[in-house]
Amino acid sequence: MSLFEWFGLKRGDSRRRAAEARELAGDLAGAVELYIEAGMPDDAARVLLLRADAERSVEKRIAFCATASRTAESPELKRAALGRKALLAFDLVRARGASAMRSEVLAVARDLEAAGELERAADAFALVGDTEAETRVLAAAGAIDRLEERLRASMTAERDQRELAAALRKIADLDRVAERREAIAVAEAWLGGSRDGERVADALRAIRARLLTGPLLTLDLGGAVLRCALGDEVTIGRGEATLVVANRAVSRTHVRIRRGPSGIEVEDLGTRNGTTLAGARLTAPLPVGRGVQLLLGGEVPCAIAPGTGQGCVVELAGERFVAPLGDLPVGPWRIRLERAGAAAFVVLKTPPGAPPPFLGDYQLAPSVELCAGDAIAAARGGTAVFRLSAAGQAPPARHDGGGEGGPA
C-alpha cells in the first residue's frame, strides 16, 4: 500500500491540491501542468484563460485561448475559449485594416459564428463584403434592427450599382456615336453627386484623352495626310498663337490671317521686329490675293496662298497647314472648331440634305464631337472617307535663328 493510500488519499487528489496551491501562489504555468496530471483538463483550461488575461501581447493571448480550447473537455468551456480567441483575432485583423487578408478575416468570422458570437461574426463578414453570410448570422442572432438596416443598405447598394451600370452604359453608348459632349455631361453630373465615381472618372478620362480640342488637326484622307489649322482666323507667333514657331525674333502673337472685306488678308499685330514683304514692312492688313511671301521678324519665312477650295494654305518654316478660316469641307460634311465656355471641341457637321456619316456600324447625328482615331465613312461599316490621326495636335514648327523679338 502506498503512502497516499495509507492516508486515504489518491495520487490525483494530491496533485489537485498541489495545483490549487500553485494557482493561489500565482504560478499559473505550474498549475496548468499539475491540473493536467491530475486529470482535470477543464481546470487547466480555466487557468490557461487566466494566463491569457495576464498577457499584454494580443498574439500570446490568442495562443493561450487556442490552447485552452484544445485542452478543455466541457463543451461550454471549449466554446468560451474559442469565442475569446475569435474575438481577440477579430480585434487584431480589424486593427490591421486593409492590410488584413480576406482569407484571415473570413476564418475569424467563421470562428466567431461557431463560438456563438453572432453579431461580431456579422461585423467580420461585413468587412469582407460577404452580405449573404452577414445576413444569415444576423438572422440567427435575432438582431432584427441590424438585419433590417443591413437589408436596407443592401437594397441601396444594389440600386446604386444598377444606376452606376446604367450611367457607364450611357457614357459608352454616347461615345460610340461620337456624342462626346453629352457623354462628358453625363459623367460630370454623376461625379457631382456623392456616389462612388471611380469607374465613371476613368471613363471620363478615357474620352478626354482622345477628344480633339483643336485648333490643330491631322486628317488622313485615303493615305494623304492633311494638317489643318481650324478657326475663323489663324494666328502665327512664338507663344499664344494657332501656329507656333520657336524663334525669338517672332513675337508671341505675330500675325493674323482672316477674311476681310476684300477677301483673305494677313495683318502684322504691331510687332517689334515686324513682318516684311519684299523688304517692305507691313503697316496695314495685306490682301493675300494669289499668294504672298512674308518674312516674320526678319528671319522666319512664311508663305500664304489661297487653297484649292475655301481658305488658304500656310507654309511656315518647312511645315504646311490648311487654314479654312471657317468650316473645313470634307466630303459632304463640314468640320469646325466650337467653343463652349473654357472647353473646345472639333465638331463634325452634316448639312441639311447631305448623307449622314457613320462611325463603324453607327449612324451619327447631324452634329458630333470628334476624337483621335475616329474613322468616318459614308456607309455603315464602309471604307473611311477620312480618319483622324492619334497625333491630332501637330508639333510646333521650328526655325533656327537668334534674333530678339519680344511680345507684340
Side-chain angles (χ1 to χ4, degrees), residues 178-240:
E179 296 182 30
R180 276 67 183 241
R181 205 178 316 199
E182 181 62 23
I184 290 171
V186 171
E188 288 179 339
W190 180 276
L191 295 173
S194 58
R195 296 171 290 188
D196 174 34
E198 183 176 351
R199 292 172 64 191
V200 174
D202 288 342
L204 178 59
R205 280 191 292 269
I207 292 174
R208 282 182 168 157
R210 296 163 33 241
L211 189 69
L212 295 175
T213 58
L216 300 185
L217 180 70
T218 302
L219 288 175
D220 182 342
L221 294 165
V225 176
L226 188 69
R227 301 179 71 187
C228 306
L230 301 179
D232 292 334
E233 66 176 36
V234 169
T235 55
I236 302 172
R238 193 182 73 248
E240 299 168 0

Side-chain angles (χ1 to χ4, degrees), residues 23-75:
E23 182 179 351
L24 289 171
D27 181 6
L28 300 182
V32 169
E33 292 181 5
L34 290 172
Y35 276 130
I36 291 173
E37 289 178 5
M40 303 173 68
D42 286 346
D43 284 282
R46 177 181 55 77
V47 175
L48 283 167
L49 292 177
L50 291 175
R51 291 197 68 185
D53 292 339
E55 283 291 341
R56 283 187 160 184
S57 166
V58 176
E59 288 81 0
K60 288 184 178 180
R61 293 173 70 185
I62 290 173
F64 279 124
C65 290
T67 304
S69 69
R70 292 192 299 269
T71 303
E73 284 186 346
S74 163

Side-chain angles (χ1 to χ4, degrees), residues 50-403:
L50 291 175
R51 291 197 68 185
D53 292 339
E55 283 291 341
R56 283 187 160 184
S57 166
V58 176
E59 288 81 0
K60 288 184 178 180
R61 293 173 70 185
I62 290 173
F64 279 124
C65 290
T67 304
S69 69
R70 292 192 299 269
T71 303
E73 284 186 346
S74 163
E76 292 79 10
L77 186 56
K78 186 181 290 289
R79 184 172 179 175
L82 282 172
R84 289 180 62 180
K85 167 183 170 288
L87 288 170
L88 288 166
F90 179 54
D91 290 339
L92 189 62
V93 297
R94 188 166 53 179
R96 286 165 56 190
S99 64
M101 294 178 62
R102 176 182 171 85
S103 58
E104 292 178 302
V105 182
L106 281 173
V108 169
R110 294 185 187 108
D111 286 347
L112 287 165
E113 184 178 4
E117 298 287 347
L118 298 180
E119 293 202 42
R120 299 300 292 277
D123 293 338
F125 282 124
L127 280 181
V128 293
D130 191 339
T131 304
E132 183 179 347
E134 180 188 3
T135 303
R136 184 190 71 244
V137 294
L138 285 174
I144 303 302
D145 291 342
R146 283 195 60 185
L147 182 58
E148 289 179 348
E149 180 183 350
R150 173 67 263 177
L151 291 174
R152 282 194 299 270
S154 179
M155 292 174 63
T156 300
E158 289 177 4
R159 183 199 64 209
D160 289 346
Q161 285 302 310
R162 287 195 302 271
E163 291 178 354
L164 173 61
L168 290 170
R169 281 196 304 273
K170 186 171 184 179
I171 293 167
D173 290 343
L174 289 167
D175 186 24
R176 289 188 191 99
V177 296
E179 296 182 30
R180 276 67 183 241
R181 205 178 316 199
E182 181 62 23
I184 290 171
V186 171
E188 288 179 339
W190 180 276
L191 295 173
S194 58
R195 296 171 290 188
D196 174 34
E198 183 176 351
R199 292 172 64 191
V200 174
D202 288 342
L204 178 59
R205 280 191 292 269
I207 292 174
R208 282 182 168 157
R210 296 163 33 241
L211 189 69
L212 295 175
T213 58
L216 300 185
L217 180 70
T218 302
L219 288 175
D220 182 342
L221 294 165
V225 176
L226 188 69
R227 301 179 71 187
C228 306
L230 301 179
D232 292 334
E233 66 176 36
V234 169
T235 55
I236 302 172
R238 193 182 73 248
E240 299 168 0
T242 310
L243 302 178
V244 178
V245 56
N247 187 293
R248 293 291 297 175
V250 177
S251 295
R252 294 184 64 81
T253 308
H254 199 96
V255 297
R256 174 171 55 207
I257 307 167
R258 63 180 176 179
R259 297 182 187 279
S262 59
I264 298 173
E265 59 185 28
V266 58
E267 178 184 9
D268 181 272
L269 297 174
T271 59
R272 179 181 302 173
N273 292 332
T275 302
T276 56
L277 172 66
R281 186 161 180 161
L282 300 188
T283 57
L286 172 71
V288 169
R290 295 184 179 180
V292 292
Q293 299 280 342
L294 305 176
L295 197 61
L296 309 182
E299 295 187 5
V300 180
C302 175
I304 306 171
T308 54
Q310 297 179 343
C312 64
V313 175
V314 180
E315 293 188 11
L316 176 67
E319 301 284 349
R320 179 184 174 91
F321 301 91
V322 173
L325 303 178
D327 291 356
L328 174 68
V330 183
W333 313 299
R334 302 291 182 267
I335 294 176
R336 71 172 59 169
L337 182 64
E338 290 188 1
R339 300 190 182 277
F345 302 91
V346 174
V347 176
L348 180 66
K349 293 282 187 178
T350 301
F358 289 82
L359 179 58
D361 292 329
Y362 300 97
Q363 180 178 320
L364 304 184
S367 178
V368 294
E369 296 77 35
L370 297 174
C371 279
D374 285 350
I376 305 300
R380 194 182 309 276
T383 302
V385 174
F386 70 89
R387 185 184 302 273
L388 293 152
S389 170
Q393 302 293 325
R398 289 190 171 272
H399 186 273
D400 292 334

